Amino acid sequence: MLHLLYVVLFTVLAVLALGNLLRSLMRLSLESQYPRHRAVPHPELLDEAGNPVNEPLMVMRSVNLEEARQQLDKLYGDDLES
């Protein structure tokens, strides 16, 4: 009796899983054919007029080891001496 119940429950779960898979595939297919809307950029990437900013957003400068030590000594030099 338990074997029959197991087979019936497995069949029900398999049908539900296949139905969900088919619905997802259909939805994905429709969304790829007819896109809903354009992506809205983050507000920080827009200027006051609402236009996209046309400038580098982050500039990184490479520092050598000696320059980094000098900057750290300038910041924490007084703390190390006392």
Side-chain angles (χ1 to χ4, degrees):
M1 186 65 183
L2 285 176
H3 296 294
L4 182 62
L5 181 63
Y6 175 77
V7 170
V8 169
L9 288 176
F10 182 79
T11 305
V12 168
L13 286 176
V15 167
L16 289 174
L18 284 175
N20 191 18
L21 176 68
L22 290 174
R23 277 193 305 272
S24 296
L25 286 174
M26 295 285 287
R27 185 179 310 130
L28 183 63
S29 172
L30 288 175
E31 286 180 1
S32 67
Q33 289 176 2
Y34 308 107
R36 282 187 253 164
H37 53 80
R38 253 185 42 194
V40 178
H42 195 276
E44 290 179 353
L45 299 176
L46 302 175
D47 61 4
E48 293 81 17
N51 300 321
V53 175
N54 190 16
E55 61 185 42
L57 299 176
M58 181 179 0
V59 178
M60 296 181 67
R61 185 173 64 93
S62 175
V63 251
N64 59 19
L65 183 62
E66 194 58 37
E67 188 178 352
R69 282 187 181 162
Q70 288 174 0
Q71 289 179 0
L72 287 173
D73 285 343
K74 192 184 330 176
L75 286 173
Y76 300 109
D78 295 336
D79 295 339
L80 294 176
E81 293 172 1
S82 46

